[in-house]
């Protein structure tokens, strides 16, 4: 499984951005996928995600501002970010947990995409 993320950029506070992450390879083996972010000097944290059965959730800190969606046809997961705040500035990564054909669980990351929110 490979992940390709895109869509970051520089935006003013209150603005919006949409991130995209396309999965390729053995995508039917993906158990869960989501968006994470890592701000300078902080650990990577989960922002939003999907399970294989389609359940989605976002963390409380972005609830009401961010929404995650998944296009199963193109195997793309999106993160719509509205009302962005300077504290949302981070490198955003898409990640997935998948199983190999012999049922070994593995994780994979896409390349990060920088989101910078100016005040």
């Amino acid at each position: 499984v490979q992940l390709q993320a895109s869509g970051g950029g520089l935006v003013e506070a209150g603005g919006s951005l949409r991130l995209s992450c396309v999965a390729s390879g053995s995508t039917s083996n993906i158990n869960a996928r989501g968006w994470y972010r890592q701000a300078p000097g902080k650990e990577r944290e989960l922002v939003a995600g999907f399970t294989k059965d389609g359940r989605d959730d976002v963390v409380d800190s972005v609830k009401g501002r961010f929404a995650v969606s998944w296009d199963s046809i193109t195997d793309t997961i999106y993160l719509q970010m509205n009302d962005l705040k300077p504290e949302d500035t981070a490198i955003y990564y898409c990640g997935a947990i998948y199983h190999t054909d012999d049922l070994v669980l593995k994780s994979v990351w896409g390349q990060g995409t920088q989101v910078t929110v100016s005040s």
Side-chain angles (χ1 to χ4, degrees):
V1 174
Q2 298 84 40
L3 303 175
Q4 179 74 35
S6 61
L10 173 63
V11 65
E12 292 184 351
S16 298
L17 283 173
R18 189 176 80 156
L19 306 183
S20 302
C21 177
V22 180
S24 60
S26 301
T27 60
S28 61
N29 290 358
I30 294 176
N31 299 93
R33 63 187 86 191
W35 286 100
Y36 298 74
R37 66 185 179 186
Q38 187 166 19
K42 294 187 177 181
E43 294 188 354
R44 191 172 300 188
E45 62 173 357
L46 176 66
V47 177
F50 265 100
T51 59
K52 189 167 187 174
D53 58 3
R55 289 178 291 123
D56 66 280
D57 200 7
V58 297
V59 297
D60 287 345
S61 60
V62 303
K63 201 158 282 189
R65 300 189 297 121
F66 291 13
V68 64
S69 60
W70 174 36
D71 183 337
S72 60
I73 296 175
T74 61
D75 231 324
T76 302
I77 186 171
Y78 298 97
L79 183 67
Q80 178 66 44
M81 305 185 292
N82 299 324
D83 189 24
L84 282 160
K85 303 178 180 181
E87 53 262 41
D88 295 318
T89 295
I91 300 174
Y92 284 70
Y93 299 88
C94 58
I97 298 172
Y98 68 98
H99 61 274
T100 63
D101 291 340
D102 51 357
L103 302 182
V104 175
L105 282 178
K106 294 193 173 185
S107 60
V108 62
W109 296 99
Q111 86 287 6
T113 184
Q114 177 70 48
V115 171
T116 303
V117 184
S118 63
S119 56

